[in-house]
Amino acid sequence: MFGEFLFTMKYKRGITLIEIIIVTALLGVVASLGLFVSTRDYQNSSFRNQRDMLVLALQHSRAQSMHNVCLGNCTDGAAHGVHLEISSGKLLKLIMFQGKIYNTTDSLNVPIDVGKNISQAIDATGPVDIYFEQLSADANPASIILSDETSASSTITIGSEGQISWTN
């Protein structure tokens, strides 16, 4: 029995260099796949956040129109809307405004920055100004198409009665 123990101990010398290299290479492959997946998830999450920010701005403007909100010097409520600042097909900024026409100098405008890293990746097509009528929240039917370089896309649709819907 003692001889068997010595015999087995003679051949158990530890881990070889090739085993360490193989395990390290496998860990590197698994880590790189995890990094790739997490990067894609981050880009998709950023895209959905920007889409949701636009939808919330539209819903907020619609609610202000329906509730006849009057900001500043008006006395009898007003229409409200959202202006999309688009440059070279890229969504740069959202601006909530009061009235039927976007006025760049109005101090009541509420700008919403969409972030430089994200805005470089989001393409936007559709109308630049969307407004909702006072009290009824009726709107001109419109569609806004957002897309990015990872082939994520979403269409935001505004119906004639002010309903807002979007695709994932």
Side-chain angles (χ1 to χ4, degrees):
M1 181 157 170
F2 184 69
E4 259 180 53
F5 177 74
L6 287 177
F7 180 75
T8 57
M9 288 300 291
K10 182 178 179 183
Y11 293 105
K12 290 188 177 180
R13 296 188 177 186
I15 301 171
T16 64
L17 182 60
I18 192 72
E19 290 171 331
I20 292 173
I21 292 173
I22 290 172
V23 169
T24 305
L26 288 173
L27 287 174
V29 168
V30 170
S32 65
L33 287 175
L35 182 63
F36 174 73
V37 169
S38 65
T39 302
R40 170 116 0 180
D41 286 344
Y42 172 76
Q43 290 172 335
N44 287 339
S45 174
S46 296
F47 177 79
R48 286 189 306 272
N49 286 341
Q50 295 310 309
R51 182 214 45 219
D52 293 347
M53 191 180 306
L54 174 55
V55 169
L56 286 172
L58 290 167
Q59 290 174 336
H60 183 76
S61 294
R62 181 178 185 265
Q64 285 185 314
S65 294
M66 287 177 60
H67 292 112
N68 209 25
V69 172
C70 179
L71 304 172
N73 295 332
C74 62
T75 57
D76 192 25
H80 291 267
V82 177
H83 171 78
L84 280 67
E85 192 171 297
I86 299 173
S87 177
S88 301
K90 304 291 182 195
L91 178 61
L92 301 178
K93 191 183 290 186
L94 307 172
I95 302 169
M96 294 189 303
F97 64 93
Q98 178 173 281
K100 293 183 179 182
I101 299 171
Y102 170 65
N103 178 356
T104 58
T105 61
D106 192 344
S107 63
L108 299 173
N109 291 343
V110 179
I112 302 169
D113 194 11
V114 294
K116 292 180 181 175
N117 293 338
I118 297 167
S119 66
Q120 301 302 320
I122 296 183
D123 296 318
T125 57
V128 175
D129 291 330
I130 299 162
Y131 72 92
F132 299 93
E133 292 288 344
Q134 179 182 354
L135 293 174
S136 68
D138 289 345
N140 288 334
S143 289
I144 302 166
I145 300 170
L146 302 176
S147 60
D148 71 0
E149 72 272 359
T150 65
S151 72
S153 67
S154 183
T155 302
I156 301 170
T157 306
I158 297 97
S160 61
E161 295 178 350
Q163 64 273 32
I164 302 165
S165 60
W166 61 95
T167 60
N168 285 329

